[in-house]
Amino acid sequence: MVTTIVTIRGDESDEAKITQAGEMLKEGKLVAFPTETVYGLGANALDAEAASKIYSAKGRPSDNPLIVHIADWDALGLIVSEIPTKARMLAEKFWPGPLTMIFPKSERVPYEITGGLDTVAVRMPGNETALRLIRAGGGYIAAPSANTSGRPSTTTAQHVKDDLDGKIDMIVDGGEVPIGLESTIVDLSGENPVILRPGYITQEMLEEVIGKVQMDEALIKEDSNIVPKAPGMKYRHYAPKADLLVVEGKQEDVVAKINELVREKADHGLTAGVICTEETEPYYEAEIVRVIGSREDEASIARNLFAILREFDDLDADGIYSESFESPGLGQAIMNRLLKAAGHQVLKVGRGGISKYSRLLFVSSGNTSVGPMAEGIARKKLEGRAVEILSRGLVVLFPEPVNQKAEAVMIRNGIRLDGHMSRRLAREDMGDGCLVLTIDKKQKEEIKKVYPEQSSVFTLEEYARSQPLSSPYGGELADYGRCFEQLEQMIDKVIRRMEWEGRL
Ligand code: TXA
Ligand code: MG
């Protein structure tokens, strides 16, 4: 079979091409076309014979159902037997767009399309060429992603050609797609809405419209006994030819580990490639380094993922190491694809308990009494150890020396706080290797609020797992004395815990 390629140029010549492609679909032929997510391989959804050609062209298992694409809201009624209210609300908000919904099917939909299920997946794509083609092709186009089954989905017409040339009738080339990951699939046919496949429309965005939405359990847990609700999600997918390993952890640990792994491979005469971001690229020493996008722009990572996985098949890499791309919005969708491509091979490096604290920081309110006392005690107990000890205050208007009673108690116990002047906490005082211990809860809450990125923040009482500290503030010298003793015990416990957890 000869595969005709037509290019959409955004001018009048498009009309004839779309009409031609539409005619082909009506005749039961296969036409690949762009959507906003990935390229789809289209066939007339109401023609069982046409649709079944999709399975042979892709080499797709026949129990894996297809998504029916429509271009107009009114088209939905013919193929579904019921439209739940929540589906209507989601359609109003997100259609045309990267959202697929599962409905109970009507008799018009052949079982060949649904893999024998009584439900049908429907989507109205947010791409002008796709919408025009669907209308020209009769209004109901079944379209899985236009790739050979098991390979990464296609985001350019060239990718489609690479996989399906000679196996399909036409490719409509509409350039590179904007999103790059397949649509979010939501099942509304049961009691509670469930996400069967994460995508560009996130759980949060859905919940804003219809309230609680669950994630299919099989997507969250790595337990292979749980079968995903979308039949297609159970297959090994997107896999590049070379072995892919995802390395997870703090950025610098990941870079160091990947460089080490690449060197190891090289020692054995093997070439390993790296998938990284703009931010980390300069730190890699490997021969083949591919930048997937920027961490500042998660959409760029989504858009390039499949193209990069495909590119690796043309490079002669024996193995691929990839960074991990968790992020607030698209992270779930990206990681779902990447982990599948890696066959869930993940290496976790530098996870909690392994990296050591380089700084212990006590934060009090004014940094003139309990804070500096804690600092002085810890400094003495940790002398000669590789950890820096500091204290800071949250309410410091100008530098002040230590409270006289506090200083007297410290001197009596052989610890000098000479030259201590109160200082206000600044972001630079903290960071990844810093353990922040606050004198009371208020300061912990304040730090959590102002510096949400700071991970290790505890109250002293909490970290030491001890009784609350009684404040000597405004009290007698004896009260400061008791506070000193209590602090000593708490700091002993703090040190024991740091050692136990391997962080000192
Ligand atoms: O973005 C997309 O959704 C792209 C473009 C072309 O629209 N299409 C796409 O289709 O990704 P495909 O066939 O690669 O993925 C369809 C997924 C499969 O995981 C399939 O199992 C699931 O949808 N699915 C289809 N019908 C279903 C049904 N009735 N119940 C549950 N899952 C269904
Ligand atoms: Mg697919």
Side-chain angles (χ1 to χ4, degrees):
M1 181 190 299
V2 177
T3 304
T4 314
I5 299 181
V6 296
T7 305
I8 296 299
R9 302 188 192 281
D11 58 29
E12 298 101 70
S13 71
D14 294 348
E15 195 53 46
K17 294 171 197 160
I18 285 174
T19 308
Q20 187 198 355
E23 287 307 317
M24 287 187 146
L25 287 167
K26 283 182 179 161
E27 287 164 23
K29 295 183 170 161
L30 300 184
V31 177
F33 62 97
T35 79
E36 79 282 36
T37 57
V38 296
Y39 272 75
L41 176 56
N44 181 356
L46 304 182
D47 174 349
E49 201 182 315
S52 50
K53 287 186 195 161
I54 286 180
Y55 288 91
S56 44
K58 278 188 61 119
R60 180 176 174 116
S62 62
D63 70 339
N64 191 1
L66 307 175
I67 297 173
V68 178
H69 294 64
I70 57 172
D72 300 285
W73 174 252
D74 290 342
L76 187 62
L78 184 82
I79 51 172
V80 308
S81 64
E82 189 199 324
I83 303 176
T85 313
K86 286 180 178 170
R88 195 179 291 274
M89 290 161 78
L90 288 177
E92 257 166 40
K93 174 84 181 176
F94 298 115
W95 276 4
L99 176 70
T100 296
M101 291 188 276
I102 311 289
F103 297 87
K105 81 174 196 70
S106 78
E107 280 172 11
R108 292 299 299 274
V109 181
Y111 280 112
E112 282 80 357
I113 296 276
T114 67
L117 298 173
D118 288 316
T119 51
V120 61
V122 186
R123 161 165 131 82
M124 190 191 292
N127 171 294
E128 205 45 47
T129 303
L131 293 172
R132 287 168 72 187
L133 180 66
I134 294 163
R135 289 188 192 113
Y140 300 92
I141 304 300
S145 48
N147 52 278
T148 298
S149 209
R151 293 206 74 206
S153 299
T154 48
T155 54
T156 65
Q158 183 59 48
H159 294 163
V160 181
K161 189 162 180 273
D162 292 343
D163 277 19
L164 300 173
D165 195 21
K167 296 180 178 160
I168 62 177
D169 299 280
M170 182 182 261
I171 300 172
V172 177
D173 182 352
E176 192 181 343
V177 301
I179 293 181
L181 298 179
E182 310 88 339
S183 61
T184 306
I185 304 182
V186 183
D187 185 357
L188 293 148
S189 65
E191 204 174 308
N192 297 310
V194 184
I195 297 178
L196 306 188
R197 180 173 73 184
Y200 187 80
I201 309 280
T202 63
Q203 185 171 14
E204 214 179 357
M205 289 157 80
L206 296 169
E207 287 186 337
E208 261 174 43
V209 182
I210 55 166
K212 189 85 193 109
V213 176
Q214 288 170 328
M215 211 23 110
D216 183 0
E217 231 191 326
L219 300 178
I220 308 166
K221 300 196 176 142
E222 279 170 38
D223 184 346
S224 58
N225 290 327
I226 308 174
V227 178
K229 294 196 174 65
M233 298 295 278
K234 70 174 177 279
Y235 299 109
R236 174 105 200 258
H237 217 178
Y238 314 125
K241 289 176 194 145
D243 234 24
L244 170 65
L245 177 76
V246 178
V247 184
E248 241 178 50
K250 273 194 301 183
Q251 203 118 250
E252 59 268 34
D253 296 336
V254 169
V255 172
K257 189 70 195 175
I258 291 181
N259 276 332
E260 181 191 323
L261 290 165
V262 171
R263 275 196 300 272
E264 246 174 58
K265 288 258 175 195
D267 288 345
H268 292 93
L270 299 171
T271 310
V274 177
I275 302 178
C276 67
T277 54
E278 274 171 30
E279 287 80 2
T280 47
E281 185 204 20
Y283 305 106
Y284 286 105
E285 296 149 11
E287 211 173 294
I288 307 172
V289 178
R290 286 294 174 274
V291 174
I292 189 168
S294 162
R295 285 188 190 270
E296 301 277 295
D297 172 16
E298 50 175 2
S300 65
I301 296 177
R303 197 162 52 235
N304 296 324
L305 176 62
F306 290 144
I308 290 218
L309 292 176
R310 282 180 170 267
E311 193 186 339
F312 265 103
D313 283 350
D314 301 330
L315 298 164
D316 233 358
D318 301 295
I320 310 167
Y321 297 113
S322 176
E323 293 181 0
S324 165
F325 308 106
E326 273 93 8
S327 64
L330 292 178
Q332 232 165 4
I334 296 168
M335 289 310 290
N336 169 266
R337 308 317 191 268
L338 183 65
L339 290 173
K340 265 174 177 269
H344 289 271
Q345 279 200 90
V346 183
L347 180 68
K348 293 180 176 151
V349 294
R351 269 279 174 103
I354 296 170
S355 62
K356 304 215 185 281
Y357 287 125
S358 54
R359 180 179 290 175
L360 174 56
L361 172 67
F362 294 97
V363 178
S364 58
S365 171
N367 190 223
T368 54
S369 58
V370 182
M373 283 171 79
E375 178 191 338
I377 294 167
R379 203 184 280 278
K380 184 173 172 196
K381 289 185 185 291
L382 288 166
E383 216 175 332
R385 310 288 289 266
V387 59
E388 181 188 17
I389 324 288
L390 292 176
S391 69
R392 294 286 186 261
L394 286 179
V395 193
V396 180
L397 300 179
F398 46 85
E400 273 186 273
V402 173
N403 167 299
Q404 286 184 347
K405 289 174 191 157
E407 186 165 30
V409 167
M410 295 295 280
I411 291 173
R412 209 161 63 197
N413 287 282
I415 302 173
R416 305 195 64 91
L417 295 174
D418 293 350
H420 173 90
M421 292 299 256
S422 59
R423 276 182 70 171
R424 197 187 154 94
L425 178 71
R427 178 171 269 117
E428 309 81 77
D429 296 325
M430 298 180 285
D432 263 348
C434 181
L435 171 61
V436 181
L437 299 179
T438 67
I439 301 307
D440 68 38
K441 247 206 303 245
K442 275 201 312 277
Q443 294 124 22
K444 176 181 160 182
E445 279 159 14
E446 176 80 2
I447 293 174
K448 289 264 176 211
K449 201 167 82 197
V450 182
Y451 307 105
E453 73 283 3
Q454 178 63 35
S455 56
S456 305
V457 186
F458 305 88
T459 65
L460 179 56
E461 169 195 336
E462 178 186 12
Y463 193 82
R465 299 192 181 105
S466 71
Q467 298 297 311
L469 185 71
S470 44
S471 168
Y473 192 71
E476 304 295 318
L477 194 62
D479 297 314
Y480 282 88
R482 270 193 293 280
C483 173
F484 179 90
E485 281 167 23
Q486 223 190 332
L487 277 174
E488 266 211 309
Q489 287 171 11
M490 289 170 110
I491 289 167
D492 281 336
K493 289 186 177 168
V494 165
I495 294 171
R496 265 211 303 279
R497 176 161 172 191
M498 288 169 82
E499 282 171 344
W500 178 252
E501 291 181 355
R503 309 203 62 167
L504 188 66

